[in-house]
Amino acid sequence: MTSPLQQKIKITGPSVVTANRTIDGVVVYRSADQRWATDLAEAAIVRDAPTARALLAEAAADDVGAVGAYIAPVLIAADGTVLPGNLREQIRRDGVSITLPSVR
Amino acid sequence: MYVYDEIDRTLVAERVAEFRDQVQRRLSGELTEEEFKPLRLMNGVYLQLHAYMFRVAIPYGTLSAPQLRKLAEVAQRYDRGYGHFTTRQNIQFNWIKLADLPDALAELAEVGLHAMQTSGNCTRNVTADQWGGVAPGEVEDPRLWAEILRQHTTLHPEFSFLPRKFKIAITASEHDRAAIKIHDIGLRLRRNEQGETGFEVLVGGGLGRSPFIAKTIKPFVAGRDLLSYVEAILRVYNQYGRRDNIYKARIKILVHELGIDKFAAEVENEWRQLAGGPLTLDDETIADIRSRFIYPDYPPLPDAKELLAQASASEPAFATWLANSVAPHKQPGYAIVTLSLKPVGAPPGDATAEQMAAIADLAERYSFSEIRVAHEQNLVLPHVAQRDLPELWHALEAIGVATPNVNLITDIIACPGLDYCSLANARSIPIAQQLTRRFSSAAAQALGQLHLNISGCINACGHHHVGHIGILGVEKNGEEYYQITIGGRADQKAQLGELLGPAVPFDQVADVIEDLVEAYRELRAGPQELFVDTVSRLGVEPFKERVYATRQ
Amino acid sequence: MPLVSNGQIVSDRYRSIADDAELPADGALLLSAARFLASADSLRGHDGPIGVIWPNDRNIAELVPHLDQLATVVLLFPTFRDGRAHSQARLLRERYGFRGELRASGQVLRDQFVFLLRNGFDSFDVKKDSDAEAFAAAASRYSVFYQPAADQAVGALQRRRQLRGPAQGGQP
């Protein structure tokens, strides 16, 4: 496995660090106060590569709490709401884009 | 059905205990994720976009009714009330918690189910023709040999850390329903001139980013030598397969780089040392495994032609289903019934816990308690009395698994795609949903056999290369696009599809497929000519012209 | 890195000799493959056991002419996911009849002990202390095996026949 810190860090806009919680795989975001939050609104926002790298390093150090930390883009709406920056991250935040068979 | 004995039960129980210990060590931090990942993968546990995904092995796609009922219970208790049947005849659950996994495994073990080697760089679930043991005219039941291979390769001490995953498939019929030519090892059961049972051995097939059709490495390996020969292949692969690049680590690349003749010579050298040794299967050992397969004691029945004709006349929908989903059985008076898991607008291959439990009940009533999983992501009731078909059809209709689209354009193979998978570039399921809505039952019937396969990325879990029509999701500037190939096939005449042209955006896929199908209707030599045969006769060009003439 | 040999945590008797260092006249010496092959003749008659560290991408058959002068062969797992040394071990034990110490070194973790033992390893440079301490429990985790290997365990296919044999003939 490539360490997350070996990833090339390229940032084109506001970003967050996200991962999956170890115990149940739930999507989590690294908060400014060094916790894993399930709400994107609580994620620490980074805007340049050095800050992103530092946040990723800090997050990845918690190997027990969450798995596979990486940097993901976000969009900041006019009212300040933090939104997923691409389809993949949108699906991670919102769940599958289809109706689950069991709730049909 | 293969029936477990104390050895099988003990091994599964010990494996559950081992995994429980591994999970505990992971949650306590004693194991890092880097150390744990290969261990969880060897027990079928992936981490996907939203959750862990858990893949349970269904050896050669055979399930008992109690096993299917248990899968329903696990879906209900530990997941979100459904499961997804895969192209390797397994089932996967999408929302399981790591902390719950040991308990789920312990429950599965009660009915002899496990998740060993459903992932990881080891020999995966050995798959076989879903009609094994019941197909008319097969050489013999391929599952006997699949079980021998399953046992031999399970927790194999030498081959649990191969360069990459390793998939074996077996067929015993002329018509290959197991897609053996896209496997690392494909085995075709046959008899030689002396009447001995053995195998044509193919090697180096596989899809992914470098797709290859398997090549024959040895035209006949006697049954008694099967294990030593497979061992020789694995030993050559384990030592010489590439480990420097994950995308070049499958055996197909080794075979390609060495050339089939050189590779075959390496295997032959190794095999000469192993042949006649402890892996040789004597008649008694084979008979022992054979004796542990329980076959139905079919009460003799006449063929129910008249009854079925009457039912067909009074219920046209039954007639359509009968023609589409019911196949001849080796035993007079019986039939093989395919249960479509491809209803209109639903994710291909998914079944709810309620459906699974109901199918388990129906299997007990109508199919000697046995169910099969087909690599096309459908289920099969393999031993149904023909006279029960009308009643069974009503029951299947009631639970939504009698869509008469088996082998038709809406019987789509699809991977989970970007809705679930962390590797995917684009969604697969919504495309499948659109297509099942686009082609009405009548329209699909009129097109005849037409396999449409969708993958959400180049790893090709949805077998797009070998679909008569293949759809591959790619990402372009943050948008989902889809490349379309035509002319692929996965059967005994397996070949890779050819690219039609530039990728099209999400919204246009269904229109393009409709254009392709229209082109086929105009171009085909007659209603008997399958789509794939028209492509093979005329090439891609006329289809390409038709599709792109009105676009860009 | 604790060394587990024949089930016990022991201290390593070997001195590792660098490729450019002079060969001591006596004592237990551990050499790289290149150094050993270059010095094999002069090492004949050496007073003390000789061990060699064999890379996992080099043909193990090259060692065959020298096995009689080797007390130990060390096989390498750069990561435990790199399983080439498993095949080397099987070949050494089963095909070439090596009876000396067969040591696994590198990323050797508890979860590989059963596999390693079955392939003929009998000593282990274990990466973590906790794994070395858990050796006995981890090594005996399985009581049944499906396939024969380089250990004494009987594969299930044979085992069933053994179990069935006496049953047919009355009491064992």
Side-chain angles (χ1 to χ4, degrees):
Chain A
M1 198 190 310
T2 319
S3 150
L5 301 177
Q6 289 169 281
Q7 294 168 8
K8 263 201 196 126
I9 292 182
K10 222 172 69 184
I11 289 202
T12 51
S15 302
V16 298
V17 167
T18 180
N20 291 81
R21 196 158 63 192
T22 303
I23 194 162
D24 55 10
V26 163
V27 174
V28 287
Y29 305 93
R30 195 65 176 175
S31 68
D33 59 349
Q34 310 197 341
R35 288 178 303 112
W36 290 110
T38 52
D39 188 348
L40 178 57
E42 293 181 47
I45 309 291
V46 289
R47 292 167 194 278
D48 58 68
T51 329
R53 179 180 294 278
L55 183 65
L56 183 62
E58 183 269 310
D62 179 15
D63 181 65
V64 181
V67 177
Y70 64 95
I71 295 167
V74 289
L75 301 169
I76 314 282
D79 66 354
T81 312
V82 183
L83 300 169
N86 59 36
L87 178 63
R88 184 179 196 271
E89 291 308 319
Q90 190 185 321
I91 288 174
R92 285 182 79 241
R93 187 194 64 168
D94 298 343
V96 294
S97 70
I98 52 173
T99 311
L100 295 188
S102 48
V103 298
R104 192 162 291 276
Chain B
M1 273 309 295
Y2 172 77
V3 179
Y4 266 29
D5 67 0
E6 204 45 41
I7 294 176
D8 302 294
R9 279 190 290 273
T10 303
L11 189 121
V12 170
E14 288 172 348
R15 183 73 182 98
V16 173
E18 181 179 42
F19 191 65
R20 193 180 286 282
D21 171 65
Q22 289 168 344
V23 169
Q24 266 160 14
R25 283 189 286 139
R26 172 67 189 119
L27 292 176
S28 74
E30 198 180 326
L31 282 176
T32 64
E33 181 62 17
E34 186 181 358
E35 290 164 344
F36 181 63
K37 187 179 176 189
L39 302 176
R40 67 167 156 79
L41 287 175
M42 284 177 70
N43 224 13
V45 183
Y46 287 75
L47 188 55
Q48 297 290 48
L49 287 184
H50 325 273
Y52 288 97
M53 186 271 274
F54 175 43
R55 186 182 291 152
V56 178
I58 302 176
Y60 35 89
T62 297
L63 279 172
S64 68
Q67 288 176 329
L68 183 56
R69 196 169 288 123
K70 180 60 79 179
L71 290 170
E73 283 170 31
V74 165
Q76 201 71 269
R77 188 165 309 155
Y78 299 101
D79 211 84
R80 295 199 181 169
Y82 68 98
H84 174 75
F85 289 95
T86 76
T87 56
R88 301 218 69 254
Q89 300 178 312
N90 293 319
I91 186 170
Q92 54 201 38
F93 299 109
N94 288 297
W95 305 96
I96 203 140
K97 295 180 171 67
L98 182 59
D100 282 346
L101 267 165
D103 289 342
L105 274 168
E107 281 199 40
L108 292 168
E110 291 169 14
V111 292
L113 287 172
H114 61 79
M116 284 185 275
Q117 298 179 197
T118 54
S119 178
N121 294 336
C122 48
T123 308
R124 303 289 188 86
N125 187 29
V126 178
T127 56
D129 184 353
Q130 68 269 24
W131 293 358
V134 293
E138 72 181 3
V139 177
E140 71 172 327
D141 190 346
R143 298 172 308 149
L144 162 73
W145 300 98
E147 175 59 25
I148 290 173
L149 280 167
R150 179 192 78 84
Q151 295 193 16
H152 180 70
T153 56
T154 295
L155 301 184
H156 195 297
E158 185 179 346
F159 304 132
S160 288
F161 298 96
L162 295 168
R164 198 74 181 84
K165 59 186 164 186
F166 201 85
K167 301 175 180 178
I168 304 177
I170 311 183
T171 184
S173 288
E174 278 303 311
H175 182 96
D176 174 15
R177 282 172 291 267
I180 67 166
K181 291 189 174 177
I182 55 168
H183 280 76
D184 296 283
I185 292 180
L187 298 170
R188 189 172 70 82
L189 255 168
R190 52 176 296 237
R191 277 189 228 290
N192 67 5
E193 281 158 18
Q194 289 75 48
E196 244 183 319
T197 304
F199 299 88
E200 177 186 354
V201 180
L202 294 88
V203 70
L207 301 178
R209 74 184 60 202
S210 318
F212 285 98
I213 298 299
K215 298 184 179 72
T216 299
I217 177 174
K218 205 170 169 74
F220 188 81
V221 172
R224 67 175 172 279
D225 296 323
L226 178 65
L227 290 186
S228 56
Y229 195 76
V230 167
E231 191 95 336
I233 293 174
L234 282 164
R235 185 167 278 169
V236 169
Y237 173 52
N238 190 41
Q239 293 182 97
Y240 303 112
R242 287 181 61 170
R243 293 176 188 261
D244 58 325
N245 179 341
I246 188 176
Y247 301 116
K248 301 195 170 179
R250 292 285 290 271
I251 197 172
K252 62 191 175 185
I253 303 294
L254 179 64
V255 171
H256 177 69
E257 288 180 353
L258 283 181
I260 185 72
D261 294 336
K262 180 117 198 303
F263 181 79
E266 289 284 344
V267 170
E268 195 68 19
N269 268 340
E270 181 58 36
W271 181 56
R272 261 189 236 124
Q273 307 274 346
L274 294 170
L279 297 181
T280 306
L281 294 161
D282 54 42
D283 293 344
E284 217 181 317
T285 303
I286 297 168
D288 184 64
I289 293 289
R290 198 189 303 272
S291 73
R292 290 148 50 62
F293 271 85
I294 298 208
Y295 287 94
D297 191 5
Y298 301 105
L301 289 174
D303 280 329
K305 273 204 183 108
E306 241 167 77
L307 181 145
L308 296 177
Q310 278 167 13
S312 297
S314 59
E315 283 269 25
F318 172 76
T320 305
W321 175 79
L322 182 69
N324 171 264
S325 304
V326 179
H329 197 281
K330 67 172 187 190
Q331 188 74 15
Y334 290 81
I336 304 170
V337 175
T338 301
L339 280 53
S340 168
L341 297 182
K342 320 288 175 66
V344 174
D350 281 12
T352 64
E354 291 79 11
Q355 286 174 325
M356 287 189 258
I359 293 165
D361 291 346
L362 293 173
E364 274 170 351
R365 197 171 321 144
Y366 296 110
S367 182
F368 296 88
S369 275
E370 196 173 317
I371 303 101
R372 306 284 180 82
V373 184
H375 92 266
E376 296 89 350
Q377 302 179 287
N378 290 318
L379 297 179
V380 173
L381 294 179
H383 321 284
V384 179
Q386 291 173 14
R387 64 177 184 203
D388 291 338
L389 286 168
E391 208 175 287
L392 175 64
W393 173 68
H394 279 292
L396 296 176
E397 271 278 294
I399 57 168
V401 294
T403 310
N405 63 351
V406 175
N407 290 326
L408 305 182
I409 191 167
T410 49
D411 184 6
I412 295 168
I413 293 178
C415 72
L418 188 57
D419 280 299
Y420 292 98
C421 179
S422 55
L423 301 173
N425 292 319
R427 289 172 294 162
S428 304
I429 296 169
I431 296 286
Q433 290 175 314
Q434 285 178 23
L435 290 170
T436 59
R437 293 190 183 109
R438 179 67 66 104
F439 293 96
S440 71
S441 180
Q445 303 288 345
L447 292 171
Q449 189 182 350
L450 205 175
H451 294 292
L452 190 148
N453 298 352
I454 309 173
S455 304
C457 78
I458 192 68
N459 293 302
C461 296
H463 292 188
H464 65 276
H465 298 107
V466 291
H468 296 181
I469 298 175
I471 301 179
L472 164 66
V474 294
E475 192 225 284
K476 267 191 185 176
N477 305 322
E479 303 282 319
E480 294 168 292
Y481 271 72
Y482 296 85
Q483 281 182 0
I484 291 161
T485 52
I486 58 174
R489 56 197 299 171
D491 59 4
Q492 63 282 3
K493 297 185 203 160
Q495 63 183 25
L496 303 170
E498 249 186 89
L499 191 62
L500 189 68
V504 297
F506 184 88
D507 296 339
Q508 287 181 27
V509 175
D511 293 340
V512 168
I513 301 304
E514 203 166 2
D515 285 356
L516 270 177
V517 159
E518 274 311 309
Y520 156 63
R521 289 164 70 96
E522 283 169 24
L523 294 166
R524 67 183 171 186
Q528 297 310 311
E529 188 176 66
L530 300 184
F531 176 91
V532 69
D533 293 326
T534 306
V535 177
S536 138
R537 184 168 54 82
L538 296 175
V540 171
E541 217 41 53
F543 291 89
K544 186 175 184 167
E545 277 168 26
R546 174 71 187 239
V547 166
Y548 292 98
T550 54
R551 291 193 170 75
Q552 76 238 302
Chain C
M1 238 193 235
L3 176 67
V4 173
S5 184
N6 292 312
Q8 305 295 320
I9 298 177
V10 297
S11 57
D12 191 354
R13 61 178 171 163
Y14 282 104
R15 270 175 69 190
S16 282
I17 306 300
D19 281 358
D20 53 359
E22 200 149 311
L23 284 181
D26 56 12
L29 308 182
L30 195 56
L31 307 169
S32 73
R35 182 68 191 272
F36 170 75
L37 292 176
S39 329
D41 286 342
S42 59
L43 281 165
R44 292 215 174 259
H46 173 82
D47 185 11
I50 302 291
V52 66
I53 301 169
W54 198 257
N56 71 356
D57 57 357
R58 188 161 181 170
N59 190 348
I60 198 76
E62 283 182 60
L63 261 187
V64 172
H66 309 288
L67 288 178
D68 61 332
Q69 65 182 123
L70 284 167
T72 295
V73 175
V74 179
L75 298 179
L76 300 175
F77 295 86
T79 92
F80 72 85
R81 298 190 310 279
D82 184 343
R84 283 177 278 194
H86 289 300
S87 286
Q88 291 178 319
R90 291 289 296 266
L91 291 169
L92 268 184
R93 287 297 195 213
E94 293 170 278
R95 188 159 305 162
Y96 306 129
F98 179 64
R99 292 283 156 260
E101 178 190 16
L102 187 52
R103 185 184 293 187
S105 192
Q107 197 187 19
V108 176
L109 302 174
R110 178 190 314 197
D111 308 282
Q112 280 74 55
F113 289 159
V114 171
F115 293 144
L116 292 164
L117 284 162
R118 298 214 68 211
N119 291 330
F121 287 97
D122 53 8
S123 89
F124 311 87
D125 275 327
V126 183
K127 196 179 157 202
K128 300 180 188 179
D129 289 338
S130 57
D131 285 350
E133 284 151 19
F135 183 86
S140 59
R141 185 166 282 293
Y142 287 93
S143 63
V144 291
F145 302 99
Y146 271 135
Q147 61 294 99
D151 58 355
Q152 297 307 306
V154 180
L157 296 174
Q158 293 82 351
R159 178 76 185 131
R160 290 197 183 94
R161 288 181 47 192
Q162 291 175 355
L163 291 172
R164 219 159 62 151
Q168 287 167 341
Q171 290 299 309

